[in-house]
Amino acid sequence: MSSSANGSRRVAIIASHGGLDEAYPALILANAARQSGIDAFVFFTFWGLDVITESKIDHLHVNMVGNPAAPVPTMLAGLPGMESLAGKMMMKQMQELELPTVREMLQILDESGAELYACELAMKMFKREKKDLVSQVKDVITAGDFYDLSDGAQIIFT
Amino acid sequence: MTTDTHKATPHVPEPPRPHDHSLAALHARLDGLSADVHYLVERQRKTEELLEDMTPILKAMMASATGRLSAFEKKGYFELGRELVAVGERVAEGFTPDDVRQLGGAIVDILETVRELTQPEVLKVAAEGAAVLQNAQEAQPIGLVGMVRATGDHDVQKGMSVMVEVVRHLGRAATAVRDKRASAPGRRAMSEKKARLDAITGKRAPQAKVLGVERAIPLTHVRSAAKKIEVAATGPGCAVPTTGPAAVATVLDGVGFGADGHLADASTWTRALGAKLAAIQGVEMNDAHWKLVELARADFEATKVSPNIRRLTQIGGVSTKDIYAMFPKAPARALAKIAGLPKPAGCL
Protein backbone atom coordinates (compact mmCIF):
# COMPACT_ATOMS: atom_id res chain seq x y z
CA MET A 1 0.00 0.00 0.00
CA SER A 2 2.68 2.45 1.01
CA SER A 3 5.16 1.46 -1.63
CA SER A 4 5.65 2.13 -5.30
CA ALA A 5 5.72 -0.39 -8.10
CA ASN A 6 9.46 -0.99 -7.65
CA GLY A 7 8.93 -1.84 -3.97
CA SER A 8 10.36 1.23 -2.23
CA ARG A 9 8.43 2.88 0.58
CA ARG A 10 6.92 6.36 -0.09
CA VAL A 11 5.56 9.25 1.99
CA ALA A 12 3.51 12.27 0.87
CA ILE A 13 3.81 15.18 3.25
CA ILE A 14 1.36 18.10 3.10
CA ALA A 15 2.76 21.31 4.54
CA SER A 16 -0.06 23.79 5.22
CA HIS A 17 1.48 26.16 7.76
CA GLY A 18 3.87 29.06 7.28
CA GLY A 19 5.38 29.51 10.73
CA LEU A 20 9.06 28.84 11.28
CA ASP A 21 8.22 26.26 13.91
CA GLU A 22 5.51 24.81 11.70
CA ALA A 23 7.72 24.50 8.64
CA TYR A 24 10.40 22.32 10.20
CA PRO A 25 8.33 19.23 11.02
CA ALA A 26 7.39 18.75 7.37
CA LEU A 27 10.94 19.40 6.16
CA ILE A 28 12.59 17.18 8.75
CA LEU A 29 10.12 14.37 8.19
CA ALA A 30 10.79 14.53 4.46
CA ASN A 31 14.54 14.59 5.00
CA ALA A 32 14.42 11.73 7.48
CA ALA A 33 12.41 9.75 4.96
CA ARG A 34 15.05 10.28 2.29
CA GLN A 35 17.82 9.35 4.74
CA SER A 36 15.99 6.13 5.49
CA GLY A 37 15.67 5.33 1.81
CA ILE A 38 12.00 6.31 1.61
CA ASP A 39 10.71 8.32 -1.38
CA ALA A 40 9.39 11.68 -0.20
CA PHE A 41 6.92 14.14 -1.78
CA VAL A 42 6.09 17.45 -0.14
CA PHE A 43 3.01 19.48 -1.13
CA PHE A 44 3.06 23.11 0.05
CA THR A 45 -0.40 24.63 0.33
CA PHE A 46 -2.02 27.71 1.89
CA TRP A 47 0.34 29.33 4.41
CA GLY A 48 2.79 26.57 3.68
CA LEU A 49 3.50 28.46 0.45
CA ASP A 50 5.48 31.00 2.51
CA VAL A 51 8.03 28.27 3.21
CA ILE A 52 8.89 28.04 -0.48
CA THR A 53 8.33 31.70 -1.43
CA GLU A 54 11.62 33.45 -2.18
CA SER A 55 10.67 36.71 -0.44
CA LYS A 56 9.38 35.03 2.71
CA ILE A 57 11.62 32.04 3.27
CA ASP A 58 14.27 33.88 5.30
CA HIS A 59 11.75 35.74 7.45
CA LEU A 60 9.43 33.08 8.74
CA HIS A 61 8.00 33.95 12.14
CA VAL A 62 6.95 31.98 15.15
CA ASN A 63 3.38 32.61 16.26
CA MET A 64 3.04 32.33 20.01
CA VAL A 65 -0.54 33.58 20.41
CA GLY A 66 -2.85 30.79 21.45
CA ASN A 67 0.09 28.48 21.89
CA PRO A 68 -0.02 27.13 25.44
CA ALA A 69 3.55 25.90 25.08
CA ALA A 70 4.83 29.41 24.35
CA PRO A 71 7.30 30.72 26.91
CA VAL A 72 5.40 34.03 27.28
CA PRO A 73 1.78 34.70 28.29
CA THR A 74 -0.64 34.98 25.39
CA MET A 75 -1.37 38.61 26.32
CA LEU A 76 2.27 39.54 25.74
CA ALA A 77 2.67 37.24 22.77
CA GLY A 78 0.22 39.39 20.83
CA LEU A 79 2.26 42.55 21.16
CA PRO A 80 3.68 44.01 17.94
CA GLY A 81 7.02 42.55 16.92
CA MET A 82 6.67 39.62 19.26
CA GLU A 83 6.45 36.91 16.61
CA SER A 84 9.33 38.37 14.70
CA LEU A 85 11.35 38.38 17.92
CA ALA A 86 10.35 34.79 18.66
CA GLY A 87 11.33 33.79 15.13
CA LYS A 88 14.76 35.40 15.54
CA MET A 89 15.28 33.71 18.88
CA MET A 90 14.35 30.33 17.45
CA MET A 91 16.68 30.84 14.48
CA LYS A 92 19.49 31.67 16.88
CA GLN A 93 18.87 28.53 18.86
CA MET A 94 18.80 26.45 15.69
CA GLN A 95 22.10 27.98 14.71
CA GLU A 96 23.57 26.91 18.03
CA LEU A 97 22.38 23.38 17.30
CA GLU A 98 23.80 23.69 13.77
CA LEU A 99 20.38 23.02 12.36
CA PRO A 100 20.14 24.01 8.69
CA THR A 101 17.96 27.01 7.88
CA VAL A 102 14.70 26.52 5.99
CA ARG A 103 16.48 27.54 2.78
CA GLU A 104 19.24 25.00 3.42
CA MET A 105 16.69 22.35 4.33
CA LEU A 106 14.95 22.82 0.98
CA GLN A 107 18.33 22.60 -0.74
CA ILE A 108 19.15 19.39 1.13
CA LEU A 109 15.71 17.94 0.36
CA ASP A 110 16.10 18.72 -3.32
CA GLU A 111 19.57 17.19 -3.46
CA SER A 112 18.45 14.13 -1.56
CA GLY A 113 15.79 13.50 -4.18
CA ALA A 114 12.68 14.61 -2.32
CA GLU A 115 10.12 16.22 -4.64
CA LEU A 116 8.63 19.59 -3.69
CA TYR A 117 5.34 20.85 -5.14
CA ALA A 118 3.25 24.01 -4.71
CA CYS A 119 -0.54 24.02 -4.59
CA GLU A 120 -2.07 25.67 -7.65
CA LEU A 121 -5.21 26.94 -5.90
CA ALA A 122 -3.24 28.47 -3.03
CA MET A 123 -0.90 30.13 -5.54
CA LYS A 124 -3.93 31.81 -7.16
CA MET A 125 -5.31 32.78 -3.77
CA PHE A 126 -2.08 34.43 -2.65
CA LYS A 127 -1.44 35.82 -6.17
CA ARG A 128 1.92 34.15 -6.56
CA GLU A 129 3.63 32.80 -9.62
CA LYS A 130 6.15 30.07 -10.16
CA LYS A 131 8.91 32.68 -10.42
CA ASP A 132 8.12 33.86 -6.86
CA LEU A 133 9.05 30.43 -5.53
CA VAL A 134 12.46 28.99 -4.71
CA SER A 135 14.13 27.03 -7.49
CA GLN A 136 13.82 23.71 -5.67
CA VAL A 137 10.06 23.59 -6.25
CA LYS A 138 9.52 21.11 -9.01
CA ASP A 139 6.08 22.20 -10.17
CA VAL A 140 2.81 23.93 -9.35
CA ILE A 141 0.11 21.26 -9.34
CA THR A 142 -3.39 20.56 -8.06
CA ALA A 143 -4.20 18.35 -5.12
CA GLY A 144 -5.45 15.69 -7.51
CA ASP A 145 -2.17 15.76 -9.42
CA PHE A 146 -0.33 15.37 -6.13
CA TYR A 147 -2.34 12.24 -5.29
CA ASP A 148 -1.58 10.82 -8.70
CA LEU A 149 2.16 11.28 -8.56
CA SER A 150 2.48 10.19 -4.92
CA ASP A 151 0.48 7.08 -5.68
CA GLY A 152 0.85 4.45 -3.02
CA ALA A 153 2.43 6.82 -0.49
CA GLN A 154 1.59 7.24 3.19
CA ILE A 155 0.17 10.73 3.73
CA ILE A 156 1.35 12.99 6.53
CA PHE A 157 -0.46 16.30 7.12
CA THR A 158 1.41 19.00 8.97
CA MET B 1 -36.97 69.83 104.58
CA THR B 2 -40.30 70.95 105.91
CA THR B 3 -40.71 67.76 107.91
CA ASP B 4 -37.39 68.45 109.60
CA THR B 5 -38.71 71.84 110.69
CA HIS B 6 -41.88 70.31 112.20
CA LYS B 7 -39.91 67.67 114.01
CA ALA B 8 -37.55 70.28 115.45
CA THR B 9 -40.27 72.58 116.79
CA PRO B 10 -41.89 70.21 119.43
CA HIS B 11 -38.54 69.91 121.18
CA VAL B 12 -38.50 73.58 122.10
CA PRO B 13 -40.92 73.63 125.18
CA GLU B 14 -38.93 71.10 127.23
CA PRO B 15 -39.67 71.12 131.04
CA PRO B 16 -36.92 72.92 132.93
CA ARG B 17 -34.62 70.92 135.09
CA PRO B 18 -34.52 71.54 138.84
CA HIS B 19 -30.78 72.24 138.93
CA ASP B 20 -29.24 75.56 137.79
CA HIS B 21 -26.36 74.03 135.93
CA SER B 22 -28.67 71.73 134.03
CA LEU B 23 -30.90 74.72 133.26
CA ALA B 24 -27.95 76.58 131.84
CA ALA B 25 -27.07 73.57 129.68
CA LEU B 26 -30.64 73.44 128.49
CA HIS B 27 -30.54 77.09 127.51
CA ALA B 28 -27.40 76.53 125.55
CA ARG B 29 -28.99 73.64 123.69
CA LEU B 30 -32.14 75.67 122.98
CA ASP B 31 -30.02 78.47 121.59
CA GLY B 32 -28.31 75.99 119.24
CA LEU B 33 -31.65 74.54 118.19
CA SER B 34 -33.20 77.92 117.52
CA ALA B 35 -30.23 78.75 115.29
CA ASP B 36 -30.81 75.49 113.37
CA VAL B 37 -34.50 76.24 113.03
CA HIS B 38 -33.75 79.70 111.79
CA TYR B 39 -31.39 78.33 109.16
CA LEU B 40 -33.91 75.76 108.00
CA VAL B 41 -36.73 78.25 107.75
CA GLU B 42 -34.50 80.57 105.77
CA ARG B 43 -33.67 77.75 103.31
CA GLN B 44 -37.33 76.85 102.93
CA ARG B 45 -38.16 80.45 102.16
CA LYS B 46 -35.45 80.70 99.58
CA THR B 47 -36.63 77.55 97.85
CA GLU B 48 -40.15 78.80 97.69
CA GLU B 49 -38.96 82.12 96.34
CA LEU B 50 -36.93 80.32 93.71
CA LEU B 51 -39.94 78.24 92.71
CA GLU B 52 -42.07 81.36 92.56
CA ASP B 53 -39.48 83.08 90.40
CA MET B 54 -38.94 80.05 88.19
CA THR B 55 -42.53 79.13 87.48
CA PRO B 56 -43.22 81.85 84.93
CA ILE B 57 -39.89 81.16 83.23
CA LEU B 58 -40.54 77.41 83.10
CA LYS B 59 -44.01 78.04 81.79
CA ALA B 60 -42.65 80.25 79.09
CA MET B 61 -40.01 77.66 78.28
CA MET B 62 -42.55 74.89 78.05
CA ALA B 63 -44.74 76.97 75.76
CA SER B 64 -41.79 77.83 73.57
CA ALA B 65 -40.55 74.23 73.55
CA THR B 66 -43.97 72.91 72.65
CA GLY B 67 -44.22 75.41 69.87
CA ARG B 68 -40.80 74.49 68.58
CA LEU B 69 -41.47 70.77 68.80
CA SER B 70 -44.64 71.14 66.81
CA ALA B 71 -42.68 73.17 64.29
CA PHE B 72 -40.05 70.41 64.17
CA GLU B 73 -42.80 67.87 63.68
CA LYS B 74 -44.07 69.92 60.77
CA LYS B 75 -40.56 70.08 59.29
CA GLY B 76 -40.22 66.32 59.60
CA TYR B 77 -37.39 66.31 62.09
CA PHE B 78 -39.05 63.65 64.18
CA GLU B 79 -39.47 61.41 61.24
CA LEU B 80 -35.78 61.91 60.62
CA GLY B 81 -35.11 61.21 64.28
CA ARG B 82 -37.12 58.01 64.15
CA GLU B 83 -35.20 56.96 61.07
CA LEU B 84 -31.96 57.78 62.81
CA VAL B 85 -32.99 55.61 65.71
CA ALA B 86 -33.77 52.80 63.30
CA VAL B 87 -30.36 53.27 61.74
CA GLY B 88 -28.86 53.22 65.19
CA GLU B 89 -30.62 49.94 65.89
CA ARG B 90 -29.30 48.45 62.72
CA VAL B 91 -25.82 49.63 63.64
CA ALA B 92 -26.24 48.05 67.06
CA GLU B 93 -27.27 44.76 65.42
CA GLY B 94 -24.34 44.77 63.03
CA PHE B 95 -21.61 45.97 65.37
CA THR B 96 -20.28 44.53 68.57
CA PRO B 97 -19.43 46.84 71.47
CA ASP B 98 -15.76 46.25 70.61
CA ASP B 99 -16.28 47.62 67.13
CA VAL B 100 -18.00 50.67 68.51
CA ARG B 101 -15.15 51.22 70.96
CA GLN B 102 -12.66 51.07 68.11
CA LEU B 103 -14.85 53.45 66.17
CA GLY B 104 -14.69 55.82 69.13
CA GLY B 105 -10.94 55.76 68.82
CA ALA B 106 -11.16 56.51 65.11
CA ILE B 107 -13.73 59.28 65.40
CA VAL B 108 -11.08 61.99 65.31
CA ASP B 109 -9.67 60.56 62.10
CA ILE B 110 -13.14 60.30 60.63
CA LEU B 111 -13.93 63.91 61.44
CA GLU B 112 -10.59 64.94 60.03
CA THR B 113 -11.38 63.09 56.82
CA VAL B 114 -14.82 64.63 56.58
CA ARG B 115 -13.33 68.08 57.08
CA GLU B 116 -10.79 67.45 54.36
CA LEU B 117 -13.47 66.18 52.02
CA THR B 118 -15.75 69.12 52.65
CA GLN B 119 -13.18 71.78 51.83
CA PRO B 120 -14.79 74.11 49.30
CA GLU B 121 -12.25 73.32 46.58
CA VAL B 122 -12.75 69.56 46.96
CA LEU B 123 -16.51 69.96 46.94
CA LYS B 124 -16.27 72.00 43.76
CA VAL B 125 -14.30 69.22 42.06
CA ALA B 126 -16.84 66.66 43.26
CA ALA B 127 -19.73 68.80 42.02
CA GLU B 128 -18.15 69.11 38.59
CA GLY B 129 -17.58 65.37 38.48
CA ALA B 130 -21.22 64.80 39.42
CA ALA B 131 -22.36 67.17 36.67
CA VAL B 132 -20.41 65.13 34.12
CA LEU B 133 -21.98 61.94 35.43
CA GLN B 134 -25.45 63.49 35.17
CA ASN B 135 -24.84 64.21 31.52
CA ALA B 136 -23.26 60.78 30.96
CA GLN B 137 -25.89 59.80 28.38
CA GLU B 138 -24.49 62.46 26.04
CA ALA B 139 -20.98 60.93 26.09
CA GLN B 140 -19.92 59.17 22.88
CA PRO B 141 -18.40 55.68 23.13
CA ILE B 142 -14.68 55.63 22.31
CA GLY B 143 -12.37 52.74 21.57
CA LEU B 144 -8.71 52.14 22.19
CA VAL B 145 -7.68 54.75 19.65
CA GLY B 146 -9.96 57.28 21.29
CA MET B 147 -8.41 56.50 24.64
CA VAL B 148 -4.92 57.00 23.27
CA ARG B 149 -5.98 60.26 21.62
CA ALA B 150 -7.56 61.46 24.86
CA THR B 151 -4.26 61.03 26.66
CA GLY B 152 -2.93 63.91 24.55
CA ASP B 153 -5.43 66.27 26.24
CA HIS B 154 -3.81 68.39 28.92
CA ASP B 155 -6.77 68.07 31.30
CA VAL B 156 -6.89 64.30 30.89
CA GLN B 157 -3.19 64.15 31.63
CA LYS B 158 -3.74 66.15 34.79
CA GLY B 159 -6.63 63.89 35.78
CA MET B 160 -4.58 60.79 35.15
CA SER B 161 -1.78 62.20 37.27
CA VAL B 162 -4.25 62.80 40.11
CA MET B 163 -5.67 59.32 39.71
CA VAL B 164 -2.23 57.76 39.76
CA GLU B 165 -1.42 59.66 42.93
CA VAL B 166 -4.70 58.53 44.51
CA VAL B 167 -4.05 54.96 43.46
CA ARG B 168 -0.55 55.14 44.89
CA HIS B 169 -1.86 56.29 48.23
CA LEU B 170 -4.56 53.66 48.15
CA GLY B 171 -1.89 51.08 47.57
CA ARG B 172 0.15 52.33 50.50
CA ALA B 173 -2.93 52.37 52.70
CA ALA B 174 -3.81 48.84 51.60
CA THR B 175 -0.32 47.67 52.50
CA ALA B 176 -0.57 49.37 55.88
CA VAL B 177 -3.95 47.74 56.54
CA ARG B 178 -2.62 44.35 55.50
CA ASP B 179 0.43 44.68 57.74
CA LYS B 180 -1.74 45.77 60.64
CA ARG B 181 -4.09 42.87 60.16
CA ALA B 182 -1.32 40.36 59.69
CA SER B 183 0.23 41.40 62.99
CA ALA B 184 -3.09 41.28 64.83
CA PRO B 185 -3.60 38.07 66.86
CA GLY B 186 -6.25 35.70 65.56
CA ARG B 187 -5.36 36.50 61.95
CA ARG B 188 -2.70 33.83 61.82
CA ALA B 189 -5.24 31.05 61.32
CA MET B 190 -6.78 32.95 58.42
CA SER B 191 -3.45 33.56 56.73
CA GLU B 192 -2.61 29.89 57.10
CA LYS B 193 -5.91 29.00 55.49
CA LYS B 194 -5.12 31.41 52.66
CA ALA B 195 -1.68 29.86 52.20
CA ARG B 196 -3.26 26.43 51.93
CA LEU B 197 -5.75 27.74 49.39
CA ASP B 198 -2.92 29.31 47.43
CA ALA B 199 -1.07 26.02 47.46
CA ILE B 200 -4.12 24.33 45.95
CA THR B 201 -4.91 27.01 43.40
CA GLY B 202 -1.26 27.30 42.43
CA LYS B 203 -0.68 30.93 43.35
CA ARG B 204 3.02 31.47 43.78
CA ALA B 205 3.81 31.76 47.46
CA PRO B 206 6.46 34.35 48.32
CA GLN B 207 8.65 31.68 49.83
CA ALA B 208 11.93 33.53 49.88
CA LYS B 209 10.31 36.31 51.86
CA VAL B 210 8.50 34.07 54.31
CA LEU B 211 11.44 31.85 55.04
CA GLY B 212 13.91 34.68 54.92
CA VAL B 213 16.30 32.68 52.75
CA GLU B 214 17.36 33.33 49.22
CA ARG B 215 17.68 30.56 46.69
CA ALA B 216 21.26 29.39 46.52
CA ILE B 217 21.11 29.64 42.71
CA PRO B 218 18.47 31.68 40.86
CA LEU B 219 16.08 29.49 38.92
CA THR B 220 17.02 31.12 35.62
CA HIS B 221 20.64 30.04 36.13
CA VAL B 222 19.55 26.47 36.71
CA ARG B 223 17.44 26.58 33.56
CA SER B 224 20.17 27.96 31.35
CA ALA B 225 22.65 25.48 32.80
CA ALA B 226 20.25 22.64 32.02
CA LYS B 227 19.88 23.94 28.49
CA LYS B 228 23.65 24.00 28.03
CA ILE B 229 23.93 20.43 29.23
CA GLU B 230 21.19 19.42 26.86
CA VAL B 231 22.95 21.08 23.94
CA ALA B 232 26.22 19.47 24.89
CA ALA B 233 24.61 16.05 25.14
CA THR B 234 22.82 16.19 21.81
CA GLY B 235 25.58 17.98 19.97
CA PRO B 236 25.26 19.25 16.42
CA GLY B 237 22.50 17.93 14.22
CA CYS B 238 20.77 16.29 17.21
CA ALA B 239 23.10 13.29 16.88
CA VAL B 240 23.28 10.96 19.86
CA PRO B 241 26.70 9.58 20.79
CA THR B 242 26.98 5.93 19.92
CA THR B 243 30.13 4.80 21.59
CA GLY B 244 31.31 1.34 22.47
CA PRO B 245 30.64 -1.94 20.69
CA ALA B 246 27.01 -2.95 20.22
CA ALA B 247 25.64 -6.27 21.41
CA VAL B 248 26.47 -9.03 18.96
CA ALA B 249 23.33 -10.48 17.40
CA THR B 250 24.82 -12.60 14.58
CA VAL B 251 28.31 -13.75 13.64
CA LEU B 252 29.27 -13.97 9.95
CA ASP B 253 32.73 -15.11 8.83
CA GLY B 254 33.94 -14.77 12.38
CA VAL B 255 32.81 -11.13 12.69
CA GLY B 256 30.04 -10.01 15.03
CA PHE B 257 27.09 -7.92 13.77
CA GLY B 258 24.43 -6.06 15.75
CA ALA B 259 20.70 -6.58 15.35
CA ASP B 260 20.50 -3.58 12.98
CA GLY B 261 23.01 -5.12 10.54
CA HIS B 262 25.89 -2.81 11.51
CA LEU B 263 29.25 -4.15 12.57
CA ALA B 264 29.23 -4.72 16.32
CA ASP B 265 32.80 -3.49 16.88
CA ALA B 266 34.26 -0.93 14.49
CA SER B 267 37.81 -2.09 15.27
CA THR B 268 37.17 -5.51 13.68
CA TRP B 269 36.67 -3.86 10.26
CA THR B 270 38.94 -4.56 7.30
CA ARG B 271 38.82 -3.20 3.77
CA ALA B 272 38.05 -6.68 2.45
CA LEU B 273 35.09 -6.88 4.82
CA GLY B 274 33.99 -3.45 3.60
CA ALA B 275 34.03 -4.63 -0.01
CA LYS B 276 31.90 -7.62 0.93
CA LEU B 277 29.43 -5.45 2.84
CA ALA B 278 29.26 -3.01 -0.11
CA ALA B 279 28.40 -5.87 -2.43
CA ILE B 280 25.57 -6.88 -0.08
CA GLN B 281 24.32 -3.26 -0.13
CA GLY B 282 24.45 -3.27 -3.91
CA VAL B 283 26.97 -0.44 -4.00
CA GLU B 284 29.75 -0.47 -6.55
CA MET B 285 32.78 0.92 -4.77
CA ASN B 286 35.20 3.28 -6.52
CA ASP B 287 37.94 5.59 -5.17
CA ALA B 288 35.49 8.28 -4.17
CA HIS B 289 33.49 5.71 -2.17
CA TRP B 290 36.59 4.41 -0.41
CA LYS B 291 37.77 7.93 0.34
CA LEU B 292 34.45 8.69 2.00
CA VAL B 293 34.64 5.42 3.96
CA GLU B 294 38.11 6.32 5.25
CA LEU B 295 36.92 9.82 6.20
CA ALA B 296 33.89 8.45 8.01
CA ARG B 297 36.04 5.98 9.96
CA ALA B 298 38.53 8.70 10.88
CA ASP B 299 35.69 10.95 12.02
CA PHE B 300 34.25 8.15 14.12
CA GLU B 301 37.66 7.59 15.71
CA ALA B 302 37.84 11.27 16.60
CA THR B 303 34.28 11.94 17.70
CA LYS B 304 33.02 8.47 18.66
CA VAL B 305 29.91 9.39 16.72
CA SER B 306 28.88 7.76 13.49
CA PRO B 307 28.58 10.63 10.95
CA ASN B 308 25.21 11.47 9.44
CA ILE B 309 24.71 12.87 5.94
CA ARG B 310 25.17 16.50 6.99
CA ARG B 311 28.39 15.61 8.75
CA LEU B 312 29.57 13.63 5.72
CA THR B 313 29.01 16.61 3.42
CA GLN B 314 31.03 18.76 5.81
CA ILE B 315 34.01 16.42 6.30
CA GLY B 316 34.01 14.93 2.79
CA GLY B 317 33.59 18.14 0.84
CA VAL B 318 30.84 16.50 -1.18
CA SER B 319 27.31 17.68 -1.82
CA THR B 320 24.21 15.98 -0.53
CA LYS B 321 23.37 15.21 -4.11
CA ASP B 322 26.72 13.44 -4.63
CA ILE B 323 26.26 11.31 -1.55
CA TYR B 324 22.78 10.26 -2.65
CA ALA B 325 24.21 9.44 -6.07
CA MET B 326 26.98 7.31 -4.53
CA PHE B 327 24.76 5.54 -2.03
CA PRO B 328 21.25 5.80 -3.50
CA LYS B 329 19.34 4.21 -0.66
CA ALA B 330 19.75 5.71 2.83
CA PRO B 331 23.29 7.01 2.17
CA ALA B 332 24.56 7.56 5.72
CA ARG B 333 23.31 4.19 6.86
CA ALA B 334 24.70 2.38 3.84
CA LEU B 335 28.05 4.10 4.27
CA ALA B 336 28.13 3.30 7.99
CA LYS B 337 27.40 -0.34 7.27
CA ILE B 338 30.16 -0.55 4.66
CA ALA B 339 32.61 1.34 6.90
CA GLY B 340 31.81 -0.91 9.87
CA LEU B 341 30.38 1.92 11.98
CA PRO B 342 27.27 1.99 14.16
CA LYS B 343 23.98 3.21 12.70
CA PRO B 344 24.12 7.03 12.50
CA ALA B 345 21.66 8.80 14.74
CA GLY B 346 19.93 12.13 14.30
CA CYS B 347 17.47 13.64 11.93
CA LEU B 348 19.71 15.36 9.41
Side-chain angles (χ1 to χ4, degrees):
Chain A
M1 184 186 120
S2 58
S3 58
S4 64
N6 63 20
S8 67
R9 210 177 142 194
R10 330 177 91 197
V11 287
I13 297 163
I14 297 160
S16 65
H17 292 297
L20 181 64
D21 52 328
E22 295 157 321
Y24 270 97
L27 303 179
I28 288 180
L29 278 172
N31 188 43
R34 288 304 300 136
Q35 287 190 358
S36 310
I38 301 170
D39 293 344
F41 305 86
V42 190
F43 187 60
F44 294 93
T45 183
F46 276 80
W47 307 111
L49 277 185
D50 281 7
V51 181
I52 50 168
T53 301
E54 189 64 47
S55 59
K56 306 249 180 188
I57 185 167
D58 295 324
H59 314 287
L60 297 178
H61 292 169
V62 179
N63 182 18
M64 294 193 292
V65 174
N67 176 5
V72 295
T74 290
M75 268 192 79
L76 297 181
L79 291 175
M82 211 55 187
E83 50 180 47
S84 151
L85 180 74
K88 283 207 179 80
M89 279 173 72
M90 189 172 269
M91 278 190 197
K92 202 177 149 215
Q93 241 176 10
M94 284 171 165
Q95 245 171 14
E96 277 173 21
L97 279 172
E98 290 183 27
L99 269 175
T101 62
V102 171
R103 195 182 275 281
E104 284 170 340
M105 280 300 291
L106 290 175
Q107 179 73 26
I108 290 168
L109 280 177
D110 183 52
E111 291 189 9
S112 68
E115 294 178 14
L116 312 179
Y117 296 98
C119 171
E120 191 187 286
L121 181 63
M123 290 284 281
K124 277 181 191 160
M125 254 189 71
F126 291 105
K127 299 196 168 45
R128 280 176 206 168
E129 293 169 37
K130 179 80 166 65
K131 65 177 171 60
D132 299 329
L133 306 180
V134 293
S135 60
Q136 288 88 10
V137 177
K138 211 172 171 190
D139 207 353
V140 179
I141 59 173
T142 65
D145 293 339
F146 183 69
Y147 276 131
D148 287 344
L149 62 87
S150 63
D151 183 31
Q154 288 172 311
I155 291 177
I156 301 169
F157 188 91
T158 64
Chain B
M1 209 180 286
T2 39
T3 46
D4 281 350
T5 324
H6 288 299
K7 267 182 192 167
T9 339
H11 285 281
V12 178
E14 210 172 333
R17 293 243 178 133
H19 305 291
D20 284 347
H21 65 272
S22 57
L23 197 67
L26 189 67
H27 270 290
R29 270 185 76 185
L30 278 173
D31 281 348
L33 275 171
S34 86
D36 280 353
V37 167
H38 181 75
Y39 169 72
L40 285 169
V41 168
E42 189 67 15
R43 263 180 75 179
Q44 175 74 8
R45 190 182 59 79
K46 277 187 179 161
T47 311
E48 276 170 8
E49 271 176 12
L50 182 69
L51 272 173
E52 256 172 59
D53 290 346
M54 285 296 284
T55 307
I57 299 169
L58 282 172
K59 271 183 185 164
M61 263 176 72
M62 277 304 283
S64 157
T66 314
R68 281 198 187 174
L69 286 174
S70 66
F72 286 171
E73 178 69 71
K74 272 183 204 148
K75 283 184 184 168
Y77 281 6
F78 285 116
E79 199 133 343
L80 182 71
R82 275 195 292 279
E83 281 304 312
L84 282 174
V85 170
V87 169
E89 274 170 4
R90 281 205 288 277
V91 169
E93 279 167 22
F95 288 83
T96 64
D98 266 353
D99 289 331
V100 176
R101 213 167 293 135
Q102 282 179 358
L103 194 69
I107 201 82
V108 175
D109 288 342
I110 290 169
L111 287 176
E112 190 80 13
T113 310
V114 169
R115 200 184 63 188
E116 292 293 329
L117 280 175
T118 50
Q119 293 296 309
E121 307 86 50
V122 179
L123 283 178
K124 193 161 166 265
V125 170
E128 278 172 12
V132 171
L133 285 179
Q134 283 207 325
N135 300 323
Q137 75 275 5
E138 287 168 19
Q140 295 295 319
I142 60 167
L144 191 63
V145 178
M147 288 264 289
V148 173
R149 200 171 292 153
T151 55
D153 188 299
H154 184 71
D155 291 337
V156 172
Q157 285 178 355
K158 257 280 168 27
M160 283 197 298
S161 155
V162 171
M163 271 171 70
V164 166
E165 200 57 30
V166 168
V167 167
R168 181 173 297 135
H169 279 84
L170 276 178
R172 273 182 207 153
T175 313
V177 168
R178 192 196 58 201
D179 290 349
K180 200 176 162 196
R181 289 201 172 161
S183 62
R187 297 277 176 181
R188 191 163 286 277
M190 192 178 273
S191 67
E192 275 169 9
K193 206 183 268 179
K194 194 166 177 293
R196 276 207 299 279
L197 191 70
D198 285 348
I200 293 162
T201 53
K203 189 178 164 188
R204 202 168 296 171
Q207 276 192 344
K209 237 182 198 173
V210 171
L211 299 174
V213 264
E214 296 291 327
R215 283 177 202 275
I217 310 162
L219 200 60
T220 45
H221 286 211
V222 178
R223 274 189 196 142
S224 61
K227 202 184 278 173
K228 268 174 200 151
I229 291 162
E230 202 178 312
V231 170
T234 44
C238 58
V240 179
T242 47
T243 49
V248 176
T250 47
V251 178
L252 292 169
D253 294 348
V255 191
F257 288 86
D260 54 6
H262 290 259
L263 202 64
D265 186 353
S267 62
T268 60
W269 183 85
T270 59
R271 185 155 170 151
L273 180 63
K276 262 190 214 173
L277 291 168
I280 294 167
Q281 292 283 314
V283 177
E284 266 186 48
M285 300 293 279
N286 59 26
D287 285 352
H289 287 80
W290 285 117
K291 193 190 154 205
L292 213 54
V293 167
E294 293 298 335
L295 278 168
R297 284 190 63 83
D299 189 55
F300 179 76
E301 279 299 312
T303 64
K304 303 293 172 201
V305 175
S306 192
N308 56 28
I309 295 177
R310 194 163 160 78
R311 181 80 182 156
L312 285 171
T313 59
Q314 285 162 357
I315 60 171
V318 289
S319 72
T320 311
K321 204 170 187 171
D322 294 339
I323 293 178
Y324 274 93
M326 288 155 78
F327 305 92
K329 203 154 170 97
R333 283 192 205 169
L335 179 63
K337 270 187 186 170
I338 294 164
L341 303 176
K343 184 175 165 183
C347 320
L348 297 162

